[in-house]
Amino acid sequence: MTEAVTTTRDGEIAIVTIDNPPVNATSFRVREPLHKLLETLAGDSSVVAIVLTCAGRTFVAGADIAEFGKPAQRPDLRDVIATLEAIQKPTVAAIHGTALGGGLELALGCHFRIADREAKLALPEVKLGLLPGAGGTVRLPRLVGPAMALKMIVSGAPVSADEALASGLADAVSESNLVANAVAFARDRAARGVASVPVRDRTGQIVGADLAAFDAEAAELAKKARGLEAPLACAQSVRNAITLPFDEALAAEREMFVKLVSGDQSRAQRHLFFAEREAARAPGIGKEVAPREIRRAGIIGAGTMGGGIAMAFVNGGVPVTLLEMNREALDRGLAMIEKNYAISVSRGSLSEDAKAERMALFSPTTDYADLAECDLIIEAVFEDMAVKKEVFGKLDVVAKPTAVLATNTSYLDVNEIAASTSRPQDVLGLHFFSPANVMKLLEIVRGEKTAPDVLATVLGVAKRIGKVPVVVNVCHGFVGNRMLSARSDDAENLLLEGASPGEIDQVFTGFGWPMGPFQMYDMAGLDIGWRNRKARGQLAVIADRLCEQGRFGQKTGKGFYRYDNGSRTPVPDPEVAQLIEDSARERGIERRAISAEEIIERMLYPMVNEGTKILEEGIAARASDIDIVWTNGYGFPVGKGGPMFWADLEGLPKIVERLEYWHGRSGKDVFLPSALLKRLAAEGRPLSGYIVATG
Ligand code: 3H9
């Protein structure tokens, strides 16, 4: 292994290079030599200035996340930064790629920062359930002011080199030859003999800061935290930077960091960080499988789903041939896409030029023959097997031999669709989530005959278009919708037995979900489920009655809730309460108060149970893949790590015991614990690290 930290000289300037692939994280193997080297260089009179830079594709992208939760090894990052900051000669961070978390904190320990034109700078610790723990919350406000620091730290979002320059975070932007420019900059500062002021001593931005405005902004952010501790700690720590002396604020930051890093929420979010990267690796698809080249995508259907998928591709720079049955539908779809981009322009997140560039990437058509030039074709037509088969029959004729053919079905049998073509090896499911240009999750459904290179291709495409892919096998509803069915299986009984839609939804939002199941049904439209139930001869007492009254949810202004004057705010409706009471009476059910605990046991435990059945059947490859599906596609709170991680926090023996209890009372299959769940519970083993291949 090469040295993790080396020094070279450009005359009287020392260039310190960190080289710790893949992302130059500040692992112990970096901190120890870096600390020693900085001490040596501080006392070396032949060195007049120091440039700190990194080898490889990026500046330091943070502390080593894999070290969290293990015993701390000194020097820690704070020791390194304190030594760096105490150096009495100019120090310059030369930043390329991404300076993230501990990486940016290290750069803040330098007197100056020069950013490459393409560099991105951020303190994303909040996304790991943390706050920056090496002085970031205390130093950043001193450079960019409390308001911007608060925004950066609570959102974790990156700023560009230009934004860094404008805000004072960077001192210069380098168009090319970053290190040479940083050396020249350092030499100039040293030659001019201007005293370099460490960031800790720069108080101009925080003295006299408007604390009332800060508190108002922080209160707004707190409202959006949904039970997460880290955003609140971030805000508190930036506030400390204004109100406390530097060292006290630093100590308070450390205290909060230590508390968060050992807490369940950060453990959950770190689990998701690694789970997401793991999910992008499909079993059996190694680097030796060469993906096919995707230069153009074809999307069939320009409705809400097709349009959203098309936008996702165009946003990722992939030209799209968009096909509809007739000109009117095509124009309607394109108008909707244009409107969506116009909203982004009006919000300032997209320029007019970028909008025009994106619109120019669409080639609208009503002729299947135009799909011949596409390398990947995705159908997003009506969810009906006969319709899908007809579409694939046409694709089989027009698509080029190397094309990948995908269905966006949410439930249907991908193997049956594939079998309707002469090339089942090229067919698979790509299950996008609505709105497809926004939602991160992509369930990649591997058919029995899907070729490895087809899978490798779509995994690469997913990354290009900014999606989080999870590879699953074929079953009804795949991973996400199958578990969603298990979650709602007993919901109507809870209503009949005494809970109201509002009470159940409140338990969900209290748990950290963005919305409860009944709000979700109203948003999605109750008629879809009604139609499916009728087709399968199934019943849902309350929902069916609502639909019979034309209450289809938000779109009709009434569903499980009322929506007054086109508003999207759900208002409890006494008519629904009456309907539920009447239905209960007709069935001789005596209504009673239902606790939050019972709601969780009867809705979330079956979901966990279904997840274990999915693992037993090998539909998902790892328990952590299921967590990625649920946190990215269905709003499962990230602070709880996904249903499988959360199940471990709840305790598997308790889940088994309660499932058996509810099974005894209801006889329902969803409550019958799977053999896997029972086995892990009995062996005292966790579910969250479970891998199907190794058991
Ligand atoms: C922190 O800094 C705390 C401090 O405030 C206080 C300390 C006291 N550590 O994402 P990729 C691995 S908290 C360990 O696929 P990309 C990653 O697992 C940290 N490993 O590449 C993967 O490994 P593998 C704050 C890390 O090009 C490989 O690198 N920083 C770390 O799409 C490639 O990653 C962050 O939260 C890490 N910090 O994206 C930044 N980072 O190949 C987190 C990456 O075995 N990182 N790995 O699966 C990122 O956002 C992205 O990885 C990055 C590259 C944008 C850098």
Side-chain angles (χ1 to χ4, degrees):
M1 199 182 267
T2 52
E3 297 268 321
V5 186
T6 49
T7 334
T8 51
R9 292 284 286 262
D10 185 325
E12 71 291 19
I13 313 292
I15 304 167
V16 177
T17 304
I18 298 172
D19 186 4
N20 186 28
V23 296
N24 291 316
T26 55
S27 327
F28 181 66
R29 73 181 286 265
V30 167
R31 296 195 307 269
E32 194 195 30
L34 181 60
H35 192 237
K36 277 202 189 115
L37 208 61
L38 291 173
E39 279 178 336
T40 309
L41 292 172
D44 184 342
S45 58
S46 70
V47 170
V48 300
I50 301 167
V51 168
L52 179 63
T53 184
C54 289
R57 59 183 166 131
T58 181
F59 193 77
V60 174
D64 186 343
I65 302 168
E67 279 184 2
F68 295 154
K70 297 184 183 154
Q73 278 177 296
R74 304 294 286 254
D76 64 23
L77 191 55
R78 293 169 311 146
D79 300 327
V80 176
I81 293 171
T83 301
L84 176 63
E85 194 166 48
I87 292 177
Q88 300 281 328
K89 37 195 148 195
T91 50
V92 181
I95 297 170
H96 75 291
T98 43
L100 303 181
L104 184 54
E105 291 176 303
L106 191 63
L108 289 170
C110 292
H111 296 117
F112 306 103
R113 283 144 297 280
I114 298 195
D116 175 72
R117 154 79 39 229
E118 300 302 324
K120 296 261 185 286
L121 298 82
L123 291 173
E125 285 86 343
V126 71
K127 296 180 186 169
L128 298 170
L130 297 170
L131 81 166
T137 63
V138 191
R139 288 191 182 87
L140 187 64
R142 284 170 157 72
L143 277 187
V144 304
M148 179 165 167
L150 180 71
K151 203 167 146 213
M152 273 182 76
I153 294 171
V154 173
S155 72
V159 295
S160 66
D162 278 337
E163 286 166 312
L165 183 66
S167 63
L169 176 52
D171 300 277
V173 173
S174 169
E175 298 297 336
S176 60
N177 300 328
L178 173 67
V179 175
N181 284 336
V183 168
F185 186 97
R187 181 167 285 131
D188 172 67
R189 295 296 143 139
R192 283 201 272 145
V194 188
S196 301
V197 185
V199 174
R200 60 174 287 149
D201 296 333
R202 299 189 210 172
T203 50
Q205 289 270 17
I206 53 172
V207 171
D210 184 346
L211 209 52
F214 180 90
D215 285 344
E217 187 59 31
E220 277 306 304
L221 294 168
K223 277 191 211 155
K224 297 183 198 143
R226 265 199 233 126
L228 290 176
E229 294 154 9
L232 309 184
C234 288
Q236 179 60 48
S237 201
V238 177
R239 191 180 199 277
N240 291 346
I242 313 171
T243 57
L244 299 179
F246 181 85
D247 288 322
E248 277 178 42
L250 208 59
E253 180 196 78
R254 183 66 190 170
E255 208 175 297
M256 285 189 260
F257 180 85
V258 169
K259 193 161 164 246
L260 288 175
V261 84
S262 56
D264 285 341
Q265 290 190 355
S266 177
R267 272 205 314 123
Q269 288 179 262
R270 275 151 32 214
H271 155 74
L272 291 173
F273 176 84
F274 290 114
E276 183 178 322
R277 278 145 189 87
E278 198 58 29
R281 285 188 270 264
I285 310 293
K287 287 211 165 65
E288 71 288 353
V289 182
R292 301 181 190 178
E293 200 179 339
I294 303 295
R295 277 161 306 201
R296 172 172 286 275
I299 313 290
I300 303 174
T304 310
M305 198 35 120
I309 298 172
M311 284 176 76
F313 276 86
V314 160
N315 296 348
V318 183
V320 165
T321 300
L322 186 61
L323 182 134
E324 254 298 350
M325 307 237 278
N326 55 54
R327 198 69 232 178
E328 295 73 55
L330 196 53
D331 288 344
R332 231 184 357 259
L334 281 168
M336 183 53 79
I337 289 169
E338 178 137 33
K339 192 174 151 205
N340 285 336
Y341 283 133
I343 293 172
S344 303
V345 171
S346 69
R347 286 190 187 143
S349 56
L350 192 75
S351 69
E352 275 292 351
D353 285 353
K355 176 183 165 224
E357 275 168 31
R358 291 191 191 180
M359 288 308 295
L361 287 178
F362 287 99
S363 304
T365 184
T366 53
D367 186 355
Y368 266 79
D370 288 337
L371 295 174
E373 54 178 347
C374 298
D375 307 293
L376 162 65
I377 304 172
I378 305 170
E379 68 74 17
V381 301
F382 192 64
E383 187 77 342
D384 178 281
M385 185 54 94
V387 179
K388 303 266 188 204
K389 280 185 177 171
E390 192 193 324
V391 168
F392 273 81
K394 288 188 195 162
L395 284 184
D396 205 10
V397 177
V398 298
K400 60 166 90 162
T402 53
V404 172
L405 309 181
T407 165
N408 175 53
T409 180
S410 346
Y411 288 96
L412 299 176
D413 184 343
V414 173
N415 291 328
E416 192 178 333
I417 295 173
S420 73
T421 71
S422 63
R423 37 173 134 177
Q425 72 282 359
D426 297 331
V427 178
L428 83 176
L430 288 181
H431 183 204
F432 287 84
F433 289 74
S434 192
N437 52 319
V438 178
M439 295 295 286
K440 288 271 177 207
L441 179 64
L442 178 60
E443 261 184 335
I444 298 179
V445 189
R446 182 182 199 162
E448 263 165 22
K449 299 204 169 134
T450 306
D453 68 332
V454 167
L455 214 51
T457 305
V458 294
L459 281 166
V461 166
K463 184 150 190 175
R464 247 168 104 188
I465 64 171
K467 298 294 172 203
V468 175
V470 179
V471 177
V472 302
N473 289 315
V474 177
C475 69
H476 186 74
F478 317 123
V479 169
N481 283 343
R482 177 168 158 182
M483 286 171 71
L484 188 64
S485 298
R487 188 182 87 171
S488 51
D489 196 87
D490 209 30
E492 289 240 340
N493 289 334
L494 282 165
L495 293 181
L496 292 168
E497 289 171 39
S500 70
E503 281 164 358
I504 293 178
D505 283 348
Q506 246 173 33
V507 170
F508 273 73
T509 49
F511 186 89
W513 298 81
M515 66 176 83
F518 296 102
Q519 290 167 338
M520 192 194 80
Y521 299 143
D522 274 2
M523 201 177 79
L526 301 182
D527 48 330
I528 303 168
W530 191 35
R531 206 171 38 231
N532 287 343
R533 283 193 298 278
K534 280 197 281 194
R536 306 172 117 225
Q538 292 170 340
L539 261 180
V541 182
I542 311 295
D544 287 354
R545 283 197 177 176
L546 292 175
C547 288
E548 281 155 18
Q549 295 176 11
R551 301 183 67 123
F552 293 159
Q554 276 187 21
K555 60 183 162 193
T556 56
K558 284 178 176 182
F560 280 101
Y561 295 92
R562 232 178 50 215
Y563 301 86
D564 296 335
N565 307 321
S567 138
R568 290 185 180 182
T569 311
V571 179
D573 189 343
E575 282 180 23
V576 176
Q578 193 60 54
L579 186 152
I580 294 171
E581 273 173 38
D582 292 347
S583 305
R585 196 173 323 109
E586 284 161 22
R587 281 161 182 74
I589 299 169
E590 202 168 316
R591 286 166 57 79
R592 61 187 167 86
I594 304 231
S595 69
E597 213 177 7
E598 181 173 339
I599 291 168
I600 287 185
E601 288 178 6
R602 292 173 64 179
M603 294 189 75
L604 298 191
Y605 287 9
M607 204 182 121
V608 168
N609 193 29
E610 197 65 30
T612 62
K613 292 177 189 170
I614 280 171
L615 290 170
E616 271 179 344
E617 294 166 29
I619 300 296
R622 322 166 179 95
S624 60
D625 286 358
I626 296 178
D627 289 337
I628 291 302
V629 167
W630 272 84
T631 46
N632 286 282
Y634 296 83
F636 195 101
V638 291
K640 292 196 164 63
M644 303 290 106
F645 187 90
W646 171 73
D648 287 331
L649 295 177
E650 277 293 276
L652 302 189
K654 176 184 168 197
I655 293 179
V656 170
E657 194 254 309
R658 297 310 291 162
L659 281 170
E660 280 172 342
Y661 171 80
W662 292 113
H663 183 254
R665 287 202 31 171
S666 68
K668 286 182 127 196
D669 283 352
V670 278
F671 293 123
L672 196 61
S674 73
L676 175 63
L677 186 56
K678 286 207 296 202
R679 179 163 64 79
L680 293 178
E683 291 171 359
R685 282 175 57 197
L687 182 52
S688 59
Y690 186 82
I691 299 172
V692 170
T694 52

